[in-house]
Amino acid sequence: MRALIVSDVHSNIEALSAVVADAWGRGGFNQVWCLGDTVGYGPDPGDCISLLREHDLVAVAGNHDYAAVGKRSVHDFNGSARAAAQWTAANLSAGDADFLSGLPLVETRDPFTLVHGSLRQPIDEYLLDSDSARATFALLTTRHCLVGHSHIPFICAENDGSPKFKLFTEGAVFPLEHERLILNPGSVGQPRDRDPRPSYAIFDEDSLTIERHRVTYGILETQKKMEAAGLPQYLIDRLDHGV
Ligand code: ZN
């Protein structure tokens, strides 16, 4: 079994299509595991949900998914995120809204737990420091944990209670051994590690390995659609810079 692991697609169908095509070119996959924030920010929420659902999909909720269907308040979103959430809410089919509302906060697929933010605060906490990593390790009932939300790829090793963040190097194949890990595959639709290329991972159950890759896509096409939809200019511009 091979799983394509995506997170923070953010309604960017050009980025998601490029990732799916690239993953097929690297040996393919049997399932798609989605770590949340399928919608929000971008112009194609429905197309992204449809493309994911064409596959054997395991998906959890992100803060933007719940915000788009009124299951989470947007009071702490910045102005452009709030505007995009309102635009998304107005541009979702009833079926897509039902799909987003029904997403669970946490899923497990051995040896992983899948969650958007952290196990302490599933849709809201940015897991980026030792304190948040330690709290998630304490709640983790599987060997490893997959998170998204920060849009920053990393691997964090439990390291006897002193969590250690390492680079999730592009193109490298990591063996999953006994040490427990928290991994973030990076963002498909709105990377924020100063690299605008969509980032994703593939888990191979037979070899017990995980690898991360990046792809290029037609950013301009996405940006033109965002402009036509009247989405905030700040969201359009940031795609160029991966921030
Ligand atoms: Zn996100």
Side-chain angles (χ1 to χ4, degrees), residues 8 10 37 151:
D8 299 279
H10 283 300
D37 278 6
H151 302 206

Side-chain angles (χ1 to χ4, degrees), residues 29-80:
F29 51 90
N30 312 96
Q31 295 186 358
V32 176
W33 295 355
C34 174
L35 308 178
D37 278 6
T38 299
V39 305
Y41 296 135
D44 290 306
D47 288 350
C48 290
I49 292 171
S50 299
L51 179 50
L52 291 175
R53 296 186 78 186
E54 281 173 22
H55 301 89
D56 184 357
L57 177 66
V58 181
V60 293
N63 50 328
H64 287 261
D65 300 322
Y66 276 1
V69 293
K71 274 184 86 166
R72 182 199 188 279
S73 154
V74 292
H75 76 275
D76 59 342
F77 278 23
N78 63 39
S80 51

